[in-house]
Amino acid sequence: MLAVTPAFAKGSVDLTASPGTVRVGHSIHITGHGDSDAVQYAKLCAQERAGTHGAWHTVACGRIVEIAAQDAKVDAKTKAGHRGVVQFRGVLYGVDGPRGGHPHADITTSARTVHVR
């Protein structure tokens, strides 16, 4: 008798935003990398939102890579515009080919919080 188990795609994305506390007008450095065996071509984007609720907006995206050859990466800096909390997350998008086309979110990280004084 054969046992049939479901297949699950594996992958991971890591995103950091530093420093954890910053003054208004200073830079926040966002870096991330990730991969997934559910997609052939992918790009990693960093997104931000003011506060802890509301819409996410893309800060920057890395270049499209073939996942079998290397991880997708993003490396960006943004300025803290106002006091309070800013959150960042990473989104790994699968795309149709090496030039892009029809992105779909594959993996999304949890939010990373930066406090702005």
Side-chain angles (χ1 to χ4, degrees), residues 34-36 39-41 63-73:
D35 67 3
S36 172
V39 298
Q40 182 176 2
Y41 295 97
R63 62 187 183 87
I64 295 170
V65 298
E66 186 172 5
I67 289 294
Q70 60 185 311
D71 280 0
K73 297 178 184 176

Side-chain angles (χ1 to χ4, degrees), residues 35-114:
D35 67 3
S36 172
D37 63 4
V39 298
Q40 182 176 2
Y41 295 97
K43 68 179 177 178
L44 181 59
C45 296
Q47 296 182 339
E48 74 174 320
R49 69 178 173 189
T52 58
H53 301 298
W56 290 96
H57 303 282
T58 300
V59 175
C61 293
R63 62 187 183 87
I64 295 170
V65 298
E66 186 172 5
I67 289 294
Q70 60 185 311
D71 280 0
K73 297 178 184 176
V74 66
D75 189 344
K77 287 189 179 179
T78 187
K79 292 211 184 256
H82 54 85
R83 293 177 187 241
V85 171
V86 180
Q87 290 189 320
F88 297 92
R89 72 178 182 182
V91 181
L92 183 71
Y93 289 97
V95 295
D96 292 339
R99 290 189 169 80
H102 299 97
H104 63 276
D106 184 56
I107 300 173
T108 302
T109 68
S110 58
R112 307 292 185 256
T113 301
V114 174

